[in-house]
């Protein structure tokens, strides 16, 4: 219980995150989204306790239950009854990892927050290194994967390509091989909360806000229990999401394609006329006509699709719906009453 007391004593809202002013201890918030992760809860909690209780800082664990269908919620609630540092935010349905993370960030009270995957792919043992860098004065400390032990070669290759493409296309620099595992200090968190978009590509948002950033590397472990809910189709959509959130380059693509096709058509026309006038070759019409029609039809549909992608995003944003809905919050009543 002494953790709770030091917690409330060291989390004033006005704390300024300058290196010299980061007090020891400071409250650390660990944020974990849970979607059908019941089997991972005991080990996750045990490893967090082992790591964080060894340090000087009090901590809290903000668990967001993202519409789990197994007994994740029951187990989390039981855990929070045993350990008052654990708070449980139960969302009304499955909103997706990004929304769950946003909910966790909104409910975090810490001076520094660390999002973590429930499946122990982000080893809690790295946390002290993150905190140490933060104390050196960095406002964001990203944990970069030194190896992707848990991922197959295809996933590695696609991930690599994705980061190359998105960084070529967008202004913000999204670091490769970085998940959501990082430490964010309070000023950065407050900045993040001011970003109102509904479709949240967290990696991009983290990168967009800037701030002094340090990186440390770690080995990403394979999933501890359960199965990933990601598949290639979801990852593909996630990639589209990232690109359309942070770049309007695809919109320009249509213009360039249009210019390219026009130039090609013009040259082709000249050659055709030349052939006819100089050599008297009969123009063989049908195949080239078919190719031209199909090609242009394809290009037009593609351009329409790209437009539609952005239009759809505008539509979603304009509805101004909340990012997530909370059914209930489980926490031991505030401030050691
Ligand atoms: N997750 C979530 N909502 C979802 C899908 C996943 O909150 O709809 C959580 C999941 O419980 C885990 C984290 O997001 O804590 C990462 O999920 P996963 O391990 O499936 O992704 P991967 O590690 O394969 O990228
Ligand atoms: Mg995982």
């Amino acid at each position: 219980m002494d953790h709770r007391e030091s917690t409330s004593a060291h989390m004033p809202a006005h704390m300024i995150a300058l290196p010299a002013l980061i007090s020891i201890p400071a409250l650390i918030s660990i944020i974990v989204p849970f979607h059908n992760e019941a089997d991972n809860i005991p080990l996750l909690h045990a490893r967090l306790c082992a790591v964080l209780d060894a340090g000087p800082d009090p901590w809290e664990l903000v668990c967001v239950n993202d519409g789990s269908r197994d007994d994740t919620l029951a187990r989390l609630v039981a855990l929070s009854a045993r350990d008052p540092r654990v708070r449980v935010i139960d969302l009304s349905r499955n909103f997706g990892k990004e929304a769950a993370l946003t909910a966790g960030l909104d409910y975090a009270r810490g001076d520094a927050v660390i999002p973590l995957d429930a499946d122990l792919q982000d080893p809690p043992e790295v946390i002290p290194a993150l905190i140490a860098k933060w104390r050196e004065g960095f406002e964001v400390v990203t944990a970069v994967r030194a190896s992707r032990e848990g991922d197959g070669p295809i996933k590695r290759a696609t991930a690599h390509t994705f980061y190359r493409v998105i960084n070529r296309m967008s202004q913000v620099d999204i670091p490769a091989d970085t998940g959501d595992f990082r430490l964010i200090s309070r000023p950065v968190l407050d900045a993040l909360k001011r970003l109102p978009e509904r479709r949240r590509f967290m990696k991009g948002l983290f990168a967009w806000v800037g701030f002094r950033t340090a990186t440390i590397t770690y080995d990403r472990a394979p999933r501890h229990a359960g199965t990933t809910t990601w598949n290639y189709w979801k990852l593909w959509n996630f990639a589209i999401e990232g690109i359309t959130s942070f770049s309007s380059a695809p919109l320009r693509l249509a213009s360039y394609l249009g210019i390219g096709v026009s130039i090609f058509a013009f040259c082709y026309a000249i050659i055709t006329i030349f052939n006819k006038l100089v050599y008297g070759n009969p123009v063989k019409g049908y195949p080239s006509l078919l190719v031209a029609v199909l090609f242009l039809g394809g290009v037009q549909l593609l351009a329409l699709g790209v437009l539609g992608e952005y239009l759809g995003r505008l539509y979603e944003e304009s509805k101004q719906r909340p990012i997530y809905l909370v059914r209930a919050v489980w926490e031991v009543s505030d401030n050691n009453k």
Side-chain angles (χ1 to χ4, degrees):
M1 269 314 190
D2 50 328
H3 277 292
R4 302 264 310 155
E5 274 148 39
S6 49
T7 297
S8 47
H10 287 281
M11 45 175 293
H14 59 268
M15 190 138 76
I16 307 162
L18 284 178
L21 296 180
I22 297 172
S23 65
I24 299 179
L27 179 66
I28 310 292
S29 296
I30 310 291
I31 298 171
V32 187
F34 289 84
H35 180 63
N36 301 338
E37 305 276 10
D39 294 338
N40 288 319
I41 295 171
L43 184 63
L44 177 72
H45 182 249
R47 276 173 67 178
L48 279 174
C49 286
V51 169
L52 289 165
D53 286 344
D57 301 303
W59 54 281
E60 62 167 6
L61 174 60
V62 181
C63 304
V64 183
N65 177 37
D66 186 19
S68 300
R69 291 206 184 79
D70 60 0
D71 58 348
T72 298
L73 179 65
R75 290 214 198 171
L76 286 177
V77 171
L79 183 64
S80 80
R82 264 185 290 130
D83 183 345
R85 296 168 298 185
V86 178
R87 294 156 70 208
V88 183
I89 320 294
D90 185 27
L91 302 188
S92 65
R93 63 169 169 85
N94 177 247
F95 280 89
K97 183 187 175 186
E98 313 276 306
L101 205 54
T102 306
L105 292 174
D106 287 345
Y107 278 85
R109 298 179 180 144
D111 303 304
V113 302
I114 304 176
L116 205 71
D117 277 1
D119 57 8
L120 289 158
Q121 284 197 286
D122 309 326
E125 289 70 28
V126 177
I127 291 173
L130 294 175
I131 296 175
K133 274 276 175 221
W134 172 54
R135 287 236 152 82
E136 282 175 27
F138 293 98
E139 288 133 340
V140 180
V141 188
T142 53
V144 178
R145 298 164 196 171
S147 73
R148 282 170 163 260
E149 222 177 272
D151 297 333
I154 302 176
K155 179 147 185 197
R156 279 185 227 187
T158 45
H160 179 73
T161 318
F162 167 70
Y163 287 115
R164 292 247 336 240
V165 169
I166 195 165
N167 281 330
R168 285 288 291 277
M169 281 181 150
S170 71
Q171 308 297 323
V172 293
D173 217 6
I174 298 171
D177 290 338
T178 314
D180 297 319
F181 188 28
R182 68 189 70 210
L183 180 146
I184 319 165
S185 61
R186 179 50 66 174
V188 183
L189 179 58
D190 290 340
L192 269 176
K193 284 195 199 167
R194 288 176 52 200
L195 303 184
E197 43 250 85
R198 318 284 123 175
R199 309 274 294 259
R200 302 182 79 76
F201 184 67
M202 289 310 274
K203 284 184 229 261
L205 299 184
F206 285 141
W208 185 88
V209 295
F211 288 91
R212 277 194 299 265
T213 303
T215 52
I216 60 165
T217 51
Y218 73 103
D219 290 319
R220 189 160 171 83
R223 206 172 218 291
H224 169 248
T227 49
T228 177
T229 51
W230 292 95
N231 52 40
Y232 278 102
W233 178 240
K234 276 196 184 172
L235 279 175
W236 167 255
N237 283 320
F238 189 63
I240 301 269
E241 181 88 22
I243 289 169
T244 48
S245 294
F246 281 88
S247 164
S248 51
L251 284 174
R252 235 168 295 143
L253 183 82
S255 326
Y256 289 130
L257 265 178
I259 294 172
V261 170
S262 307
I263 292 175
F264 174 77
F266 184 73
C267 298
Y268 189 66
I270 295 203
I271 292 170
T272 313
I273 292 168
F274 190 78
N275 266 346
K276 173 80 182 159
L277 293 185
V278 178
Y279 302 110
N281 284 347
V283 182
K284 295 189 223 62
Y286 181 72
S288 50
L289 203 65
L290 194 64
V291 167
V293 167
L294 287 182
F295 178 67
L296 282 182
V299 167
Q300 282 169 10
L301 282 182
L302 177 78
L304 269 181
V306 172
L307 268 180
E309 191 65 39
Y310 283 89
L311 190 67
R313 304 182 62 79
L314 261 179
Y315 176 59
E316 292 242 322
E317 296 294 336
S318 70
K319 284 191 282 194
Q320 297 272 309
R321 287 188 183 155
I323 298 168
Y324 58 87
L325 291 175
V326 174
R327 180 187 296 121
V329 177
W330 273 273
E331 56 191 349
V332 175
S333 66
D334 276 338
N335 297 330
N336 317 309
K337 265 176 265 170

